[in-house]
Amino acid sequence: SQPIYWTTNDGGKTMKTHTNSDNVFWVKPHPSEPNVAIGLAYTESYQLSFLTTDFGESWARIGGNTTFETEWACWQDALCEDFDAILYQNSEGTWDDCGAGNCELMKEYIDVSKSSAKALTGTKTLVMPACDGLRAVQWPWYDPTAQRVLFASQHVRNNPIAEQYVKFSYDGGVTWQVAIFPFGFTRHHMQFVTTERNVLLAGVRDVTAHDDATYANLYISSPEDSIEQGRMELSLKHIRMTPKQWWEETMFAGTLDIERSAELDGVMLANRYRETRAGLPDMACLQTVITFDMGASWQLVKAPADAPCAGEKNCYLHVKLNVRDFPTAYSPSDAVGVWLAQGTTGECVDEFADATATFYSANGGVSWQTMAKERVIFEVSNHGALVVGAATERQTNQLT
């Protein structure tokens, strides 16, 4: 059957159906122009980018078959007044992961007053040569007012002391800051977490690491107004980070086990492997840790009073944070201090499904209580005054 998509301009009261011949599966709305959006589509071989200036009535191709990523340069109205531009990663020639540094980061001016087909003016400027990664991080991703940070990876050739520069921009690519890590400028796969205080966290995994080594190190940046802006210091060792998957075409690859509190900036949960006496990760013991100070320090999470391990020396709570373990820990944006999470209790994560329960915290993760002794999918209303859940592993007509 023919793919379709829907649009609404009245808050969902009415929906208009559109034929989706371009197979657009993800839409990135423009932050200040409600009728303008970037659409991403997949073919059997590669990802395509499209533009609409008429609220999805028509779409025009952006770039070519080797345009890997497309992002808006601006992230709020104040940054979009002077230009309507996109950043995209472009390779001339064959489709690959740009590992050889044969891609470019470009900026193209968009005339949003014209039709989708004519809005692409073709006026392009080079932002960064030899680019092998582009990522826009905005948390939460659905909040158009949240600050968005652009990250780019630049491949370095013929330099005996540098292989890769990782750069970030707070202003849509106008200016860039180089991230300086203790290990120098060797090539790594990375994932990022942003905060409201312009402190960045980066999960960093060596590109030469074996696929069985599902861990990385987490680094934290100096504040934006610091004289050491861009310097990254070690925050947490052996955080779980899955390797790059076959479909990931940039250096910003892998999945990081970390989640931010929605309303308490600086509060985060992460899963990391316990460290052995030799300083190596104990791959048999995954544990959840929490920070209340933006990653400056981490501590294990105390289990609820009614946990099966209560009374034992090492009784901790461990929650699901990997995107493959849906639902992951959830912090509602309109309920200050509330966390909901599925997980297990004990010294380390219990991988047996029968041991999984659902837990609730009302004070930002300082203490937890058992919501249900089974897997529950949850929702929050009235700023946290009402929390409901339904069992996911059995049929039910009841809410918890």
Side-chain angles (χ1 to χ4, degrees), residues 158-220:
N158 302 321
N159 188 324
I161 62 174
E163 299 174 341
Q164 174 190 30
Y165 292 136
V166 176
K167 302 180 180 182
F168 58 92
S169 174
Y170 290 106
D171 55 14
V174 177
T175 60
W176 295 85
Q177 176 73 45
V178 177
I180 303 173
F181 292 91
F183 53 77
F185 301 100
T186 55
R187 289 176 67 74
H188 287 75
H189 289 139
M190 299 187 182
Q191 289 289 7
F192 298 92
V193 180
T194 59
T195 70
E196 297 305 314
R197 303 181 207 177
N198 289 348
V199 173
L200 308 175
L201 291 97
V204 178
R205 186 177 186 275
D206 195 312
V207 295
T208 63
H210 193 273
D211 285 351
D212 291 338
T214 57
Y215 59 87
N217 287 332
L218 186 70
Y219 293 84
I220 184 172

Short mmCIF file of all heavy atoms in Angstrom, two decimals, residues 158-220:
data_model
loop_
_atom_site.label_atom_id
_atom_site.label_comp_id
_atom_site.label_asym_id
_atom_site.label_seq_id
_atom_site.Cartn_x
_atom_site.Cartn_y
_atom_site.Cartn_z
N ASN A 158 47.37 13.70 7.55
CA ASN A 158 48.78 14.11 7.48
C ASN A 158 49.19 14.98 8.66
O ASN A 158 49.92 15.97 8.52
CB ASN A 158 49.06 14.85 6.16
CG ASN A 158 48.73 14.01 4.95
OD1 ASN A 158 48.97 12.80 4.94
ND2 ASN A 158 48.15 14.65 3.94
N ASN A 159 48.68 14.64 9.84
CA ASN A 159 49.04 15.37 11.06
C ASN A 159 49.51 14.35 12.09
O ASN A 159 48.73 13.50 12.51
CB ASN A 159 47.84 16.16 11.59
CG ASN A 159 48.21 17.10 12.73
OD1 ASN A 159 49.06 16.79 13.55
ND2 ASN A 159 47.57 18.25 12.77
N PRO A 160 50.75 14.38 12.52
CA PRO A 160 51.27 13.34 13.41
C PRO A 160 50.68 13.37 14.81
O PRO A 160 50.80 12.38 15.55
CB PRO A 160 52.78 13.64 13.45
CG PRO A 160 52.88 15.09 13.11
CD PRO A 160 51.78 15.37 12.14
N ILE A 161 50.02 14.46 15.22
CA ILE A 161 49.50 14.55 16.58
C ILE A 161 47.98 14.65 16.64
O ILE A 161 47.42 14.69 17.73
CB ILE A 161 50.12 15.74 17.34
CG1 ILE A 161 49.76 17.05 16.64
CG2 ILE A 161 51.62 15.57 17.48
CD1 ILE A 161 50.21 18.28 17.42
N ALA A 162 47.30 14.68 15.51
CA ALA A 162 45.84 14.82 15.52
C ALA A 162 45.22 13.99 14.40
O ALA A 162 45.72 14.00 13.27
CB ALA A 162 45.44 16.28 15.37
N GLU A 163 44.16 13.25 14.74
CA GLU A 163 43.41 12.47 13.75
C GLU A 163 41.98 12.99 13.58
O GLU A 163 41.37 12.80 12.54
CB GLU A 163 43.34 11.01 14.20
CG GLU A 163 44.70 10.33 14.34
CD GLU A 163 44.57 8.93 14.91
OE1 GLU A 163 43.53 8.64 15.53
OE2 GLU A 163 45.51 8.14 14.74
N GLN A 164 41.45 13.64 14.63
CA GLN A 164 40.05 14.04 14.62
C GLN A 164 39.85 15.25 15.52
O GLN A 164 40.31 15.29 16.66
CB GLN A 164 39.18 12.87 15.14
CG GLN A 164 37.71 13.19 15.30
CD GLN A 164 36.99 12.08 16.04
OE1 GLN A 164 37.55 11.38 16.87
NE2 GLN A 164 35.71 11.90 15.73
N TYR A 165 39.18 16.27 14.99
CA TYR A 165 38.75 17.41 15.79
C TYR A 165 37.23 17.32 15.99
O TYR A 165 36.48 17.21 15.01
CB TYR A 165 39.09 18.74 15.12
CG TYR A 165 40.57 19.04 15.04
CD1 TYR A 165 41.12 19.55 13.87
CD2 TYR A 165 41.40 18.84 16.14
CE1 TYR A 165 42.48 19.84 13.80
CE2 TYR A 165 42.76 19.11 16.07
CZ TYR A 165 43.29 19.61 14.90
OH TYR A 165 44.63 19.89 14.82
N VAL A 166 36.79 17.35 17.22
CA VAL A 166 35.37 17.40 17.52
C VAL A 166 35.03 18.82 17.92
O VAL A 166 35.65 19.38 18.84
CB VAL A 166 35.00 16.41 18.64
CG1 VAL A 166 33.53 16.55 19.01
CG2 VAL A 166 35.30 14.99 18.20
N LYS A 167 34.07 19.42 17.22
CA LYS A 167 33.73 20.82 17.43
C LYS A 167 32.25 20.94 17.79
O LYS A 167 31.43 20.11 17.40
CB LYS A 167 34.04 21.64 16.18
CG LYS A 167 35.51 21.57 15.77
CD LYS A 167 35.78 22.40 14.52
CE LYS A 167 37.25 22.31 14.11
NZ LYS A 167 37.55 23.14 12.92
N PHE A 168 31.92 22.00 18.54
CA PHE A 168 30.52 22.24 18.89
C PHE A 168 30.20 23.72 18.72
O PHE A 168 31.09 24.58 18.80
CB PHE A 168 30.21 21.77 20.31
CG PHE A 168 31.05 22.38 21.39
CD1 PHE A 168 30.63 23.53 22.06
CD2 PHE A 168 32.26 21.81 21.76
CE1 PHE A 168 31.40 24.09 23.07
CE2 PHE A 168 33.04 22.37 22.77
CZ PHE A 168 32.60 23.51 23.42
N SER A 169 28.92 24.00 18.46
CA SER A 169 28.48 25.37 18.20
C SER A 169 27.16 25.62 18.90
O SER A 169 26.23 24.82 18.81
CB SER A 169 28.32 25.59 16.69
OG SER A 169 27.75 26.86 16.42
N TYR A 170 27.08 26.76 19.60
CA TYR A 170 25.84 27.17 20.26
C TYR A 170 25.01 28.11 19.38
O TYR A 170 23.88 28.43 19.73
CB TYR A 170 26.16 27.90 21.57
CG TYR A 170 26.71 27.02 22.66
CD1 TYR A 170 28.06 27.07 23.01
CD2 TYR A 170 25.89 26.15 23.37
CE1 TYR A 170 28.58 26.29 24.02
CE2 TYR A 170 26.40 25.35 24.38
CZ TYR A 170 27.74 25.42 24.71
OH TYR A 170 28.25 24.64 25.71
N ASP A 171 25.58 28.58 18.25
CA ASP A 171 24.91 29.61 17.47
C ASP A 171 24.61 29.16 16.04
O ASP A 171 24.66 29.95 15.10
CB ASP A 171 25.73 30.89 17.46
CG ASP A 171 27.17 30.67 16.95
OD1 ASP A 171 27.44 29.60 16.38
OD2 ASP A 171 28.00 31.58 17.14
N GLY A 172 24.30 27.90 15.87
CA GLY A 172 23.89 27.43 14.55
C GLY A 172 25.02 27.32 13.54
O GLY A 172 24.77 27.42 12.34
N GLY A 173 26.23 27.15 14.00
CA GLY A 173 27.34 26.97 13.07
C GLY A 173 28.07 28.23 12.68
O GLY A 173 28.95 28.19 11.83
N VAL A 174 27.71 29.36 13.28
CA VAL A 174 28.43 30.61 12.98
C VAL A 174 29.83 30.56 13.56
O VAL A 174 30.82 30.90 12.92
CB VAL A 174 27.66 31.83 13.52
CG1 VAL A 174 28.44 33.11 13.27
CG2 VAL A 174 26.28 31.91 12.88
N THR A 175 29.93 30.12 14.82
CA THR A 175 31.23 29.95 15.46
C THR A 175 31.31 28.54 16.03
O THR A 175 30.30 27.96 16.44
CB THR A 175 31.44 30.98 16.60
OG1 THR A 175 30.40 30.82 17.59
CG2 THR A 175 31.41 32.39 16.06
N TRP A 176 32.53 28.00 16.09
CA TRP A 176 32.75 26.64 16.56
C TRP A 176 33.87 26.62 17.61
O TRP A 176 34.83 27.38 17.51
CB TRP A 176 33.14 25.71 15.41
CG TRP A 176 32.05 25.52 14.40
CD1 TRP A 176 31.75 26.32 13.34
CD2 TRP A 176 31.08 24.46 14.38
NE1 TRP A 176 30.68 25.83 12.65
CE2 TRP A 176 30.25 24.68 13.26
CE3 TRP A 176 30.86 23.34 15.17
CZ2 TRP A 176 29.20 23.84 12.92
CZ3 TRP A 176 29.82 22.48 14.84
CH2 TRP A 176 29.00 22.73 13.74
N GLN A 177 33.71 25.75 18.60
CA GLN A 177 34.70 25.56 19.65
C GLN A 177 35.22 24.13 19.56
O GLN A 177 34.44 23.18 19.44
CB GLN A 177 34.07 25.80 21.02
CG GLN A 177 34.98 25.53 22.19
CD GLN A 177 36.05 26.60 22.35
OE1 GLN A 177 35.77 27.78 22.27
NE2 GLN A 177 37.28 26.16 22.55
N VAL A 178 36.52 23.94 19.64
CA VAL A 178 37.11 22.61 19.63
C VAL A 178 37.04 21.99 21.01
O VAL A 178 37.38 22.63 22.01
CB VAL A 178 38.58 22.66 19.16
CG1 VAL A 178 39.21 21.27 19.21
CG2 VAL A 178 38.67 23.23 17.75
N ALA A 179 36.55 20.75 21.10
CA ALA A 179 36.53 20.00 22.35
C ALA A 179 37.91 19.40 22.58
O ALA A 179 38.46 18.73 21.70
CB ALA A 179 35.47 18.92 22.30
N ILE A 180 38.46 19.64 23.77
CA ILE A 180 39.83 19.18 24.08
C ILE A 180 39.73 18.09 25.14
O ILE A 180 39.37 18.34 26.29
CB ILE A 180 40.70 20.35 24.59
CG1 ILE A 180 40.71 21.48 23.54
CG2 ILE A 180 42.11 19.87 24.89
CD1 ILE A 180 41.39 22.74 24.03
N PHE A 181 40.05 16.85 24.74
CA PHE A 181 39.97 15.71 25.63
C PHE A 181 41.36 15.34 26.16
O PHE A 181 42.37 15.60 25.50
CB PHE A 181 39.37 14.50 24.90
CG PHE A 181 37.93 14.67 24.53
CD1 PHE A 181 37.56 15.21 23.31
CD2 PHE A 181 36.93 14.27 25.42
CE1 PHE A 181 36.23 15.36 22.97
CE2 PHE A 181 35.59 14.42 25.08
CZ PHE A 181 35.24 14.96 23.86
N PRO A 182 41.42 14.70 27.34
CA PRO A 182 42.72 14.30 27.89
C PRO A 182 43.49 13.34 26.99
O PRO A 182 44.73 13.32 27.02
CB PRO A 182 42.34 13.61 29.22
CG PRO A 182 41.03 14.18 29.59
CD PRO A 182 40.33 14.43 28.29
N PHE A 183 42.77 12.55 26.17
CA PHE A 183 43.45 11.59 25.30
C PHE A 183 43.93 12.22 24.00
O PHE A 183 44.47 11.53 23.13
CB PHE A 183 42.54 10.40 25.01
CG PHE A 183 41.18 10.78 24.47
CD1 PHE A 183 41.01 11.17 23.15
CD2 PHE A 183 40.06 10.76 25.29
CE1 PHE A 183 39.77 11.52 22.65
CE2 PHE A 183 38.81 11.10 24.81
CZ PHE A 183 38.66 11.48 23.49
N GLY A 184 43.71 13.51 23.85
CA GLY A 184 44.17 14.19 22.64
C GLY A 184 43.14 14.17 21.53
O GLY A 184 41.93 14.31 21.78
N PHE A 185 43.59 13.97 20.30
CA PHE A 185 42.72 14.09 19.13
C PHE A 185 42.69 12.80 18.32
O PHE A 185 42.67 12.82 17.09
CB PHE A 185 43.15 15.27 18.27
CG PHE A 185 43.12 16.58 18.99
CD1 PHE A 185 44.28 17.14 19.50
CD2 PHE A 185 41.92 17.25 19.19
CE1 PHE A 185 44.27 18.35 20.18
CE2 PHE A 185 41.88 18.46 19.87
CZ PHE A 185 43.05 19.01 20.37
N THR A 186 42.72 11.65 19.00
CA THR A 186 42.59 10.37 18.32
C THR A 186 41.12 10.12 18.01
O THR A 186 40.22 10.72 18.61
CB THR A 186 43.14 9.23 19.19
OG1 THR A 186 42.50 9.28 20.48
CG2 THR A 186 44.64 9.37 19.37
N ARG A 187 40.87 9.20 17.08
CA ARG A 187 39.51 9.01 16.58
C ARG A 187 38.67 8.19 17.56
O ARG A 187 39.09 7.13 18.05
CB ARG A 187 39.53 8.33 15.20
CG ARG A 187 40.04 9.27 14.13
CD ARG A 187 40.16 8.62 12.78
NE ARG A 187 38.89 8.25 12.18
CZ ARG A 187 38.03 9.12 11.66
NH1 ARG A 187 38.28 10.40 11.70
NH2 ARG A 187 36.92 8.70 11.10
N HIS A 188 37.46 8.70 17.83
CA HIS A 188 36.52 8.06 18.75
C HIS A 188 35.10 8.24 18.21
O HIS A 188 34.80 9.19 17.49
CB HIS A 188 36.60 8.69 20.15
CG HIS A 188 37.83 8.32 20.92
ND1 HIS A 188 39.06 8.86 20.64
CD2 HIS A 188 38.00 7.46 21.96
CE1 HIS A 188 39.95 8.36 21.48
NE2 HIS A 188 39.35 7.51 22.28
N HIS A 189 34.25 7.29 18.57
CA HIS A 189 32.81 7.47 18.39
C HIS A 189 32.27 8.18 19.63
O HIS A 189 32.72 7.92 20.75
CB HIS A 189 32.10 6.12 18.21
CG HIS A 189 32.40 5.48 16.89
ND1 HIS A 189 32.63 4.14 16.75
CD2 HIS A 189 32.52 6.01 15.65
CE1 HIS A 189 32.86 3.86 15.48
NE2 HIS A 189 32.81 4.98 14.79
N MET A 190 31.28 9.05 19.42
CA MET A 190 30.81 9.88 20.53
C MET A 190 29.29 10.04 20.52
O MET A 190 28.66 9.98 19.46
CB MET A 190 31.46 11.27 20.48
CG MET A 190 32.96 11.24 20.60
SD MET A 190 33.66 12.90 20.74
CE MET A 190 35.41 12.50 20.81
N GLN A 191 28.74 10.25 21.72
CA GLN A 191 27.36 10.68 21.90
C GLN A 191 27.36 11.77 22.97
O GLN A 191 28.19 11.76 23.88
CB GLN A 191 26.46 9.51 22.33
CG GLN A 191 26.20 8.50 21.24
CD GLN A 191 25.29 9.02 20.14
OE1 GLN A 191 24.94 10.20 20.11
NE2 GLN A 191 24.91 8.15 19.22
N PHE A 192 26.39 12.70 22.86
CA PHE A 192 26.44 13.90 23.69
C PHE A 192 25.15 14.10 24.49
O PHE A 192 24.06 13.69 24.09
CB PHE A 192 26.67 15.14 22.83
CG PHE A 192 27.98 15.12 22.09
CD1 PHE A 192 28.05 14.61 20.81
CD2 PHE A 192 29.13 15.59 22.69
CE1 PHE A 192 29.25 14.58 20.12
CE2 PHE A 192 30.33 15.55 22.00
CZ PHE A 192 30.39 15.06 20.72
N VAL A 193 25.31 14.75 25.65
CA VAL A 193 24.20 15.20 26.48
C VAL A 193 24.39 16.69 26.71
O VAL A 193 25.50 17.14 27.05
CB VAL A 193 24.17 14.46 27.83
CG1 VAL A 193 23.00 14.95 28.68
CG2 VAL A 193 24.06 12.96 27.61
N THR A 194 23.34 17.49 26.53
CA THR A 194 23.42 18.92 26.78
C THR A 194 22.68 19.27 28.06
O THR A 194 21.84 18.50 28.53
CB THR A 194 22.80 19.71 25.61
OG1 THR A 194 21.43 19.33 25.44
CG2 THR A 194 23.55 19.44 24.32
N THR A 195 22.97 20.43 28.62
CA THR A 195 22.30 20.92 29.82
C THR A 195 21.87 22.36 29.60
O THR A 195 22.30 23.01 28.63
CB THR A 195 23.22 20.83 31.05
OG1 THR A 195 24.26 21.81 30.91
CG2 THR A 195 23.84 19.45 31.19
N GLU A 196 21.07 22.87 30.52
CA GLU A 196 20.61 24.25 30.39
C GLU A 196 21.69 25.25 30.79
O GLU A 196 21.54 26.45 30.57
CB GLU A 196 19.37 24.46 31.28
CG GLU A 196 18.17 23.61 30.86
CD GLU A 196 17.79 23.82 29.40
OE1 GLU A 196 17.71 24.98 28.96
OE2 GLU A 196 17.58 22.81 28.69
N ARG A 197 22.77 24.79 31.40
CA ARG A 197 23.85 25.69 31.82
C ARG A 197 25.01 25.66 30.83
O ARG A 197 26.13 26.09 31.17
CB ARG A 197 24.34 25.29 33.21
CG ARG A 197 23.25 25.29 34.25
CD ARG A 197 23.80 24.91 35.61
NE ARG A 197 22.78 24.29 36.44
CZ ARG A 197 23.00 23.81 37.65
NH1 ARG A 197 24.21 23.87 38.17
NH2 ARG A 197 22.03 23.25 38.35
N ASN A 198 24.78 25.13 29.65
CA ASN A 198 25.81 25.05 28.62
C ASN A 198 27.01 24.23 29.07
O ASN A 198 28.15 24.50 28.68
CB ASN A 198 26.26 26.44 28.17
CG ASN A 198 25.18 27.14 27.36
OD1 ASN A 198 24.20 26.53 26.95
ND2 ASN A 198 25.35 28.43 27.15
N VAL A 199 26.75 23.24 29.90
CA VAL A 199 27.76 22.23 30.22
C VAL A 199 27.44 21.01 29.37
O VAL A 199 26.28 20.57 29.30
CB VAL A 199 27.74 21.88 31.71
CG1 VAL A 199 28.67 20.71 32.01
CG2 VAL A 199 28.14 23.10 32.55
N LEU A 200 28.43 20.45 28.72
CA LEU A 200 28.24 19.32 27.82
C LEU A 200 28.84 18.07 28.43
O LEU A 200 29.86 18.12 29.12
CB LEU A 200 28.90 19.60 26.47
CG LEU A 200 28.55 20.92 25.79
CD1 LEU A 200 29.40 21.09 24.54
CD2 LEU A 200 27.07 20.99 25.46
N LEU A 201 28.18 16.93 28.17
CA LEU A 201 28.75 15.65 28.54
C LEU A 201 28.89 14.81 27.28
O LEU A 201 28.01 14.84 26.41
CB LEU A 201 27.87 14.92 29.56
CG LEU A 201 27.84 15.56 30.96
CD1 LEU A 201 26.60 16.44 31.09
CD2 LEU A 201 27.85 14.51 32.05
N ALA A 202 30.00 14.09 27.18
CA ALA A 202 30.27 13.31 25.99
C ALA A 202 30.65 11.89 26.37
O ALA A 202 31.57 11.67 27.16
CB ALA A 202 31.40 13.94 25.18
N GLY A 203 29.92 10.91 25.83
CA GLY A 203 30.31 9.52 25.93
C GLY A 203 31.28 9.21 24.81
O GLY A 203 30.97 9.46 23.63
N VAL A 204 32.45 8.69 25.13
CA VAL A 204 33.53 8.56 24.15
C VAL A 204 34.01 7.11 24.11
O VAL A 204 34.42 6.55 25.13
CB VAL A 204 34.70 9.50 24.52
CG1 VAL A 204 35.83 9.33 23.53
CG2 VAL A 204 34.22 10.95 24.55
N ARG A 205 33.99 6.51 22.92
CA ARG A 205 34.37 5.12 22.74
C ARG A 205 35.39 5.02 21.61
O ARG A 205 35.15 5.52 20.50
CB ARG A 205 33.14 4.27 22.43
CG ARG A 205 33.41 2.77 22.37
CD ARG A 205 32.10 2.02 22.12
NE ARG A 205 32.31 0.58 22.19
CZ ARG A 205 32.71 -0.17 21.16
NH1 ARG A 205 32.96 0.40 20.00
NH2 ARG A 205 32.87 -1.47 21.31
N ASP A 206 36.53 4.39 21.87
CA ASP A 206 37.59 4.26 20.87
C ASP A 206 37.08 3.49 19.66
O ASP A 206 36.41 2.46 19.79
CB ASP A 206 38.79 3.52 21.49
CG ASP A 206 40.06 3.67 20.65
OD1 ASP A 206 39.98 3.48 19.42
OD2 ASP A 206 41.11 3.98 21.22
N VAL A 207 37.39 3.98 18.47
CA VAL A 207 36.91 3.33 17.25
C VAL A 207 37.51 1.94 17.07
O VAL A 207 36.97 1.11 16.34
CB VAL A 207 37.22 4.19 16.00
CG1 VAL A 207 36.45 5.49 16.05
CG2 VAL A 207 38.71 4.44 15.85
N THR A 208 38.65 1.68 17.72
CA THR A 208 39.29 0.37 17.58
C THR A 208 38.80 -0.64 18.62
O THR A 208 39.22 -1.79 18.61
CB THR A 208 40.82 0.50 17.72
OG1 THR A 208 41.15 0.99 19.04
CG2 THR A 208 41.37 1.49 16.69
N ALA A 209 37.90 -0.23 19.53
CA ALA A 209 37.41 -1.13 20.57
C ALA A 209 36.62 -2.28 19.96
O ALA A 209 35.89 -2.11 18.96
CB ALA A 209 36.55 -0.37 21.57
N HIS A 210 36.73 -3.47 20.57
CA HIS A 210 36.01 -4.64 20.09
C HIS A 210 34.51 -4.48 20.36
O HIS A 210 34.10 -3.81 21.30
CB HIS A 210 36.54 -5.89 20.79
CG HIS A 210 36.09 -7.18 20.15
ND1 HIS A 210 34.90 -7.79 20.48
CD2 HIS A 210 36.67 -7.95 19.18
CE1 HIS A 210 34.77 -8.89 19.76
NE2 HIS A 210 35.82 -9.01 18.96
N ASP A 211 33.68 -5.12 19.53
CA ASP A 211 32.23 -5.01 19.69
C ASP A 211 31.75 -5.53 21.04
O ASP A 211 30.70 -5.13 21.54
CB ASP A 211 31.51 -5.76 18.57
CG ASP A 211 31.56 -5.01 17.25
OD1 ASP A 211 32.00 -3.84 17.26
OD2 ASP A 211 31.17 -5.58 16.22
N ASP A 212 32.51 -6.44 21.66
CA ASP A 212 32.13 -6.95 22.97
C ASP A 212 32.40 -5.95 24.09
O ASP A 212 31.90 -6.11 25.20
CB ASP A 212 32.89 -8.25 23.28
CG ASP A 212 32.45 -9.40 22.39
OD1 ASP A 212 31.32 -9.32 21.85
OD2 ASP A 212 33.22 -10.36 22.23
N ALA A 213 33.18 -4.93 23.80
CA ALA A 213 33.51 -3.90 24.80
C ALA A 213 32.41 -2.83 24.77
O ALA A 213 32.57 -1.77 24.17
CB ALA A 213 34.87 -3.30 24.51
N THR A 214 31.29 -3.11 25.42
CA THR A 214 30.12 -2.24 25.36
C THR A 214 30.19 -1.15 26.43
O THR A 214 29.26 -0.95 27.20
CB THR A 214 28.84 -3.05 25.52
OG1 THR A 214 28.91 -3.77 26.77
CG2 THR A 214 28.64 -4.03 24.39
N TYR A 215 31.29 -0.43 26.46
CA TYR A 215 31.43 0.62 27.45
C TYR A 215 32.27 1.76 26.87
O TYR A 215 32.97 1.60 25.87
CB TYR A 215 32.07 0.09 28.73
CG TYR A 215 33.44 -0.53 28.54
CD1 TYR A 215 34.59 0.25 28.59
CD2 TYR A 215 33.58 -1.89 28.28
CE1 TYR A 215 35.84 -0.31 28.40
CE2 TYR A 215 34.84 -2.46 28.09
CZ TYR A 215 35.96 -1.67 28.14
OH TYR A 215 37.20 -2.23 27.95
N ALA A 216 32.19 2.89 27.54
CA ALA A 216 32.93 4.09 27.13
C ALA A 216 33.28 4.87 28.39
O ALA A 216 32.96 4.46 29.51
CB ALA A 216 32.09 4.93 26.19
N ASN A 217 33.91 6.02 28.22
CA ASN A 217 34.12 6.95 29.31
C ASN A 217 33.28 8.20 29.07
O ASN A 217 33.10 8.62 27.92
CB ASN A 217 35.60 7.33 29.45
CG ASN A 217 36.43 6.20 30.04
OD1 ASN A 217 35.92 5.38 30.80
ND2 ASN A 217 37.70 6.15 29.68
N LEU A 218 32.78 8.78 30.14
CA LEU A 218 31.95 9.98 30.05
C LEU A 218 32.77 11.18 30.49
O LEU A 218 33.38 11.17 31.58
CB LEU A 218 30.70 9.83 30.93
CG LEU A 218 29.66 10.95 30.83
CD1 LEU A 218 28.96 10.89 29.47
CD2 LEU A 218 28.63 10.82 31.96
N TYR A 219 32.79 12.21 29.65
CA TYR A 219 33.55 13.43 29.94
C TYR A 219 32.60 14.61 30.10
O TYR A 219 31.52 14.65 29.51
CB TYR A 219 34.55 13.71 28.83
CG TYR A 219 35.66 12.68 28.74
CD1 TYR A 219 35.48 11.50 28.03
CD2 TYR A 219 36.88 12.89 29.37
CE1 TYR A 219 36.49 10.55 27.96
CE2 TYR A 219 37.90 11.94 29.30
CZ TYR A 219 37.69 10.78 28.60
OH TYR A 219 38.69 9.83 28.53
N ILE A 220 33.01 15.59 30.89
CA ILE A 220 32.21 16.78 31.15
C ILE A 220 33.00 18.01 30.77
O ILE A 220 34.22 18.07 30.99
CB ILE A 220 31.76 16.81 32.63
CG1 ILE A 220 30.84 18.01 32.89
CG2 ILE A 220 32.95 16.84 33.57
CD1 ILE A 220 30.22 17.99 34.28
#
